[in-house]
């Protein structure tokens, strides 16, 4: 029979803090999903930007769900993860949703770059014309790549567990009594390559867009055009720059999670947990305030709640 596991104060602190971050992020992304789905039902259509944001919200909601379940079970009931196939399913599901979140974020930044940036290159003009028809295929490709990664992670973990590896509880979760890094070299390499490729694509998209916005802003200043258009371009530059900074921090945390996946550095792991669980909610909040429709709906809901509270 499994031994009784007493959660430590450190484990309880992790569960409490991550639970707050996860539930906040889930509410924010659930709001995005509900507003866009209601608009979809009313208009019976979604524009390309809304399609990307909707899939991004769904992937982040699922990613936070899988991540919270794994964190809660690993800290409170770690022996449950030894019941086949709970552990491979949780890791596989999290990989699918997290990779989808990663690539759809890149699609969103690339979409903004192509739609907003203004270059006279013929290929860029061709992309600008065809981008709306290309978006569904990009999202479909992101889903397929994410599912392939999830299947790879599931099969690798399942293979490692089925080799009758001896696991013993140690610290926060479990520690292998024999080396199993050989099973995860391929996963870490493929995952790291995927993260790096997505990050490079996002860097180029963000830099092209920032350069185009900066050049357009400079032209307006040269022509003494102090108009709302210039303010809009400055806001767009700030939005892209903030997204780039947040994505860079998240990218570093993802790489650290791969580096420390087979070690037990509590402080680094805790920091990575905080960043990875805060990013989906914080960035989605930025998306809400950069989208007039979402922002207007959120402010209307907050106004109604404030009115009801004042009446009480």
């Amino acid at each position: 029979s499994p031994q009784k596991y007493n959660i430590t104060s450190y484990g309880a602190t992790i569960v409490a803090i991550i639970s707050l971050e996860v539930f906040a992020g889930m509410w924010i992304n659930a709001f995005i999903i509900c507003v866009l789905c209601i608009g979809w039902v009313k208009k019976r259509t979604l524009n390309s930007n809304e399609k990307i944001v909707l899939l991004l919200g769904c992937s982040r909601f699922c990613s936070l769900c899988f991540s919270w379940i794994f964190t809660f079970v690993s800290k409170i009931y770690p022996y449950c993860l030894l019941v086949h196939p709970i552990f491979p399913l949780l890791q596989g599901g999290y990989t699918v949703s997290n990779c989808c979140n990663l690539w759809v974020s890149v699609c969103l930044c690339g979409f903004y770059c192509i739609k907003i940036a203004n270059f006279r290159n013929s290929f860029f003009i061709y992309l600008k014309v065809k981008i709306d028809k290309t978006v569904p295929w990009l999202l479909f490709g992101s889903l397929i790549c994410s599912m392939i990664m999830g299947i790879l992670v599931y099969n690798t973990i399942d293979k490692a567990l089925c080799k009758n590896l001896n696991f013993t509880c140690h610290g926060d979760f479990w520690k292998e009594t024999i080396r199993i890094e050989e099973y995860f070299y391929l996963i870490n390499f493929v995952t790291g390559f995927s993260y790096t490729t997505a990050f490079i694509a996002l860097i180029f998209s963000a830099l092209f867009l920032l350069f185009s916005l900066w050049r357009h802003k400079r032209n307006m200043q040269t022509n003494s055009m102090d108009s709302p258009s210039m303010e809009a371009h400055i806001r767009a530059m700030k939005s892209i720059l903030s997204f780039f900074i947040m994505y860079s921090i998240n990218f570093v945390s993802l790489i650290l999670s791969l580096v420390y996946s087979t070690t037990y550095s509590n402080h680094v792991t805790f920091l990575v947990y905080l960043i990875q669980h805060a990013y989906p909610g914080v960035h989605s909040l930025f998306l809400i305030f950069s989208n007039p429709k979402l922002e207007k709906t959120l402010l209307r809901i907050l106004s109604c709640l404030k009115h009801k509270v004042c009446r009480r």
Side-chain angles (χ1 to χ4, degrees):
S1 60
Q3 301 174 6
K4 185 178 180 180
Y5 183 82
N6 295 320
I7 184 172
T8 63
S9 58
Y10 175 76
T13 302
I14 290 180
V15 172
I17 295 176
I18 288 181
S19 295
L20 291 175
E21 290 184 338
V22 165
F23 289 131
M26 288 173 65
W27 275 106
I28 293 170
N29 286 283
F31 168 79
I32 294 175
I33 295 170
C34 291
V35 172
L36 293 180
C37 286
I38 291 173
W40 191 2
V41 172
K42 289 182 179 179
K43 298 187 302 181
R44 296 186 178 181
T45 184
L46 287 175
N47 60 43
S48 298
N49 176 61
E50 290 174 337
K51 291 176 184 177
I52 299 174
V53 175
L54 178 59
L55 183 57
L56 186 62
C58 292
S59 63
R60 286 177 172 174
F61 185 88
C62 294
S63 174
L64 289 170
C65 285
F66 280 112
S67 183
W68 183 81
I69 292 173
F70 176 78
T71 302
F72 181 81
V73 173
S74 64
K75 304 299 178 184
I76 308 297
Y77 304 106
Y79 290 102
C80 292
L81 295 178
L82 301 180
V83 179
H84 189 270
I86 293 179
F87 184 43
L89 281 177
L90 287 177
Q91 288 296 313
Y94 173 75
T95 301
V96 172
S97 55
N98 192 45
C99 286
C100 187
N101 168 28
L102 182 76
W103 283 105
V104 175
S105 297
V106 175
C107 290
L108 181 63
C109 192
F111 176 80
Y112 284 152
C113 176
I114 295 173
K115 274 290 188 180
I116 300 175
N118 188 17
F119 296 103
R120 296 182 180 179
N121 183 275
S122 58
F123 180 70
F124 190 84
I125 296 174
Y126 174 80
L127 289 178
K128 189 182 286 287
V129 173
K130 296 292 184 179
I131 185 61
D132 288 321
K133 294 182 180 180
T134 309
V135 164
W137 292 104
L138 290 175
L139 298 180
F140 180 72
S142 299
L143 284 173
I144 294 299
C145 291
S146 302
M147 292 180 65
I148 292 174
M149 284 294 299
I151 293 173
L152 177 63
V153 169
Y154 177 89
N155 288 336
T156 303
I157 295 177
D158 187 63
K159 179 181 178 181
L161 294 178
C162 289
K163 288 292 184 178
N164 295 319
L165 299 178
N166 296 318
F167 292 96
T168 58
C169 282
H170 177 82
D172 292 330
F173 173 39
W174 46 262
K175 181 177 181 181
E176 304 87 341
T177 57
I178 63 175
R179 296 177 61 85
I180 63 169
E181 287 87 346
E182 57 181 288
Y183 293 97
F184 299 99
Y185 280 148
L186 178 60
I187 286 182
N188 288 348
F189 174 78
V190 174
T191 305
F193 179 78
S194 177
Y195 290 163
T196 305
T197 304
F199 185 62
I200 292 174
L202 184 134
I203 287 177
F204 279 104
S205 298
L207 290 179
F208 279 135
L209 182 53
L210 286 172
F211 175 74
S212 177
L213 291 172
W214 173 78
R215 187 177 62 178
H216 190 65
K217 171 179 168 291
R218 188 182 61 179
N219 291 336
M220 288 190 294
Q221 286 178 332
T222 303
N223 298 325
S224 300
M225 296 175 59
D226 188 11
S227 63
S229 176
M230 184 173 175
E231 295 180 2
H233 277 75
I234 294 175
R235 286 199 305 270
M237 290 176 67
K238 291 180 179 179
S239 178
I240 294 298
L241 189 59
S242 62
F243 174 54
F244 175 73
I245 293 173
M246 285 191 295
Y247 196 94
S248 300
I249 296 173
N250 185 59
F251 171 76
V252 173
S253 72
L254 291 172
I255 297 300
L256 287 176
S257 68
L258 295 178
V259 173
Y260 289 92
S261 60
T262 55
T263 63
Y264 303 94
S265 178
N266 289 338
H267 298 295
V268 176
T269 303
F270 182 56
L271 179 61
V272 169
Y273 277 173
L274 289 180
I275 295 174
Q276 288 186 345
H277 290 87
Y279 170 76
V282 174
H283 182 248
S284 294
L285 201 59
F286 271 86
L287 290 178
I288 291 174
F289 287 106
S290 63
N291 185 303
K293 178 181 178 180
L294 294 174
E295 182 182 11
K296 183 179 179 180
T297 304
L298 178 61
L299 294 177
R300 186 168 64 245
I301 293 174
L302 293 177
S303 178
C304 292
L305 291 175
K306 181 181 179 180
H307 180 69
K308 289 183 179 180
V309 170
C310 292
R311 289 183 60 183
R312 291 182 181 179

